[in-house]
Amino acid sequence: MSDMKAEVLNKDMGSPSLLERLFQLKAHGTSIKNEVIGGVTTFATMAYIIFVNPNIMASSGMDPGAVFVATCIGAALGTLLMGLFANWPVGLAPGMGLNAFFAFTVVGEMGYNWEVALGAVFISGLLFVGMSFYKVREWIIESIPESLRYAMTAGVGLFLGLIGLKTAGIVVENPATLVSLGDFTQPHALLAAICFLIIAVLSERKVFGAVLIGIISVTLIGLMLGLVEYNGVFSAPPSIAPTLFAMDIAGALNLSMVSVILAFLFVNMFDTAGTLMGVAERANLINKDTGKIKGLSKALKADSIASVAGACVGCPPVTSYVESASGVAAGGRTGLSAVVISLLFVAAIFLSPLAGMIPAYATSGALIYVAFVMMGSMQHVNWKDFTDSAPAAITALMMPLTFSIANGIALGFITYTVLKLATGKTKDVSISMYVLTAIFVAKLVYIG
């Protein structure tokens, strides 16, 4: 009888034997309990995206309910693929910064409709997939200077920060000085600042789910002040029909969209590479003898395919989240953690009333916090070499000042190439940099 019970248990889909075969738990020195804890931890630290992304994307004219469901589905699909295909403990979701670029620059400033912008996301995703299956990805990543890679991350952070400050009313327009300080007697500005401070303090104190706690706390304050209307917590999910397969690929196949597609591609590529390498180090996925990262190729393929899938349901580029490091610190080591995260995103689909209650000032506070975290990458720039530091600074600063990630990348790349050539440092300029610089010059001269 005991043998029969053991056989039944081994055939059980939730049995340790099946999970062991799928995720090699013993080889990674982990357990089911640790993986579940790691997955729950990562989800708690990145769940803010299900509230923030619909708010940002709605400004482009997209249906917020559909975007909410698309966010959950895109995150669930991407994370599940990362877990089952790559066996990595990494959560994926629509990228912060790229969603703002989508809504405020491509749609808001450049005037394209959101369907065309989704088409650009889809095309950039296909390019990323192609690069992930060949050596093109490594060639581009290795040939673009580190200073510009770090500057792109910081620039996206500054861009996010400006959007958060503007949305909250902390920074306002001023005809005389262009911008000036907003009115802190207004509840929206004050509550956004309080949200940022709550998140910052809790994060520094290593409190579990600091960003989510900050957003929920300020939403509750708004509820008590009568600024937020209670709509419940659970309900059947809204329809995803308004965004499902809505991308306009033909409209995105336009010369003027080249810089937009490249911006989506490069920011996603470098953000993904940096995140995966950081998580790999913390999860002991680096081979001590060779120095190579185990399964990195599969992880990059999973991430790139997730961007294509995300565009199909109505998401900006889906990318790996650095918050996954929190789950690794809590014990996650394999793709089982990612499967747990994926299941939690599926469950979150039924929280649409709660997502609809989250006010803009709460998500603004989160944006400002994320901005400062991303700006930390500038510490890695070589400030002793002006031909490195100046292009990096231009890349980072021109993103918020021109309100465009694409313009920041273009101006930074052009400045780097010109300074290196003019100072005789031609060895620092790769072939791909020459090609990209030519593309960006053409874009600025002929398209604007």
Side-chain angles (χ1 to χ4, degrees), residues 237-302:
S239 172
I240 195 176
T243 61
L244 185 64
F245 297 112
M247 62 273 192
D248 182 357
I249 299 172
L253 292 173
N254 186 302
L255 184 61
S256 62
M257 291 294 287
V258 170
S259 63
V260 171
I261 293 171
L262 290 178
F264 279 134
L265 176 63
F266 288 152
V267 174
N268 192 9
M269 184 188 302
F270 294 125
D271 184 52
T272 295
T275 296
L276 292 180
M277 285 187 281
V279 171
E281 185 176 353
R282 298 184 190 188
N284 298 321
L285 293 172
I286 299 177
N287 189 307
K288 295 180 180 178
D289 298 326
T290 63
K292 292 184 178 180
I293 299 175
K294 305 171 187 176
L296 179 60
S297 178
K298 285 187 175 183
L300 285 166
K301 289 172 185 175

Side-chain angles (χ1 to χ4, degrees), residues 49 85 183 279-280 315 356 406:
I49 191 63
F85 178 66
D183 184 1
V279 171
C315 289

Side-chain angles (χ1 to χ4, degrees), residues 41-55:
T41 301
T42 294
F43 177 78
T45 58
M46 62 183 290
Y48 65 86
I49 191 63
I50 65 177
F51 306 123
V52 176
N53 196 52
N55 270 353

Side-chain angles (χ1 to χ4, degrees), residues 20-366:
E20 177 62 36
R21 290 196 300 272
L22 285 174
F23 303 109
Q24 302 172 355
L25 302 177
K26 291 180 180 178
H28 288 84
T30 185
S31 65
I32 295 175
K33 178 183 176 181
N34 288 342
E35 294 302 298
V36 171
I37 292 173
V40 171
T41 301
T42 294
F43 177 78
T45 58
M46 62 183 290
Y48 65 86
I49 191 63
I50 65 177
F51 306 123
V52 176
N53 196 52
N55 270 353
I56 292 177
M57 299 295 281
S59 64
S60 70
M62 298 180 75
D63 181 90
V67 174
F68 168 78
V69 177
T71 300
C72 294
I73 292 177
L77 289 174
T79 307
L80 186 65
L81 184 61
M82 181 65 75
L84 295 179
F85 178 66
N87 196 22
W88 274 47
V90 173
L92 288 83
M96 290 294 294
L98 289 172
N99 52 5
F101 175 60
F102 180 110
F104 298 108
T105 298
V106 182
V107 177
E109 293 294 315
M110 299 177 71
Y112 293 100
N113 60 44
W114 62 264
E115 292 90 347
V116 171
L118 266 185
V121 172
F122 183 81
I123 294 170
S124 71
L126 288 180
L127 290 174
F128 196 8
V129 170
M131 291 177 178
S132 297
F133 279 87
Y134 296 97
K135 296 294 182 181
V136 180
R137 183 195 66 244
E138 287 87 348
W139 178 66
I140 290 179
I141 290 177
E142 291 172 1
S143 60
I144 292 179
E146 284 190 353
S147 59
L148 292 182
R149 297 183 223 169
Y150 294 130
M152 279 190 257
T153 300
V156 170
L158 286 169
F159 185 61
L160 276 180
L162 179 60
I163 290 168
L165 293 167
K166 181 176 180 290
T167 303
I170 296 174
V171 170
V172 296
E173 295 180 43
N174 187 310
T177 61
L178 193 62
V179 294
S180 61
L181 185 66
D183 184 1
F184 274 99
T185 63
Q186 295 298 314
H188 290 191
L190 182 60
L191 288 173
I194 291 173
C195 182
F196 162 72
L197 291 173
I198 290 173
I199 295 171
V201 171
L202 293 179
S203 296
E204 281 300 299
R205 289 183 169 273
K206 312 297 181 186
V207 174
F208 178 75
V211 176
L212 195 59
I213 291 173
I215 291 175
I216 300 274
S217 298
V218 171
T219 300
L220 291 175
I221 294 173
L223 187 64
M224 290 185 287
L225 294 176
L227 301 174
V228 175
E229 183 179 349
Y230 179 73
N231 298 317
V233 178
F234 300 100
S235 77
S239 172
I240 195 176
T243 61
L244 185 64
F245 297 112
M247 62 273 192
D248 182 357
I249 299 172
L253 292 173
N254 186 302
L255 184 61
S256 62
M257 291 294 287
V258 170
S259 63
V260 171
I261 293 171
L262 290 178
F264 279 134
L265 176 63
F266 288 152
V267 174
N268 192 9
M269 184 188 302
F270 294 125
D271 184 52
T272 295
T275 296
L276 292 180
M277 285 187 281
V279 171
E281 185 176 353
R282 298 184 190 188
N284 298 321
L285 293 172
I286 299 177
N287 189 307
K288 295 180 180 178
D289 298 326
T290 63
K292 292 184 178 180
I293 299 175
K294 305 171 187 176
L296 179 60
S297 178
K298 285 187 175 183
L300 285 166
K301 289 172 185 175
D303 188 285
S304 59
I305 294 171
S307 285
V308 177
C312 292
V313 296
C315 289
V318 174
T319 187
S320 300
Y321 264 55
V322 71
E323 284 85 353
S324 302
S326 63
V328 171
R333 292 292 182 274
T334 73
L336 181 55
S337 281
V339 172
V340 172
I341 299 166
S342 178
L343 293 175
L344 289 171
F345 270 117
V346 172
I349 292 175
F350 299 95
L351 296 174
S352 60
L354 178 60
M357 286 168 52
I358 304 296
Y361 52 79
T363 55
S364 294

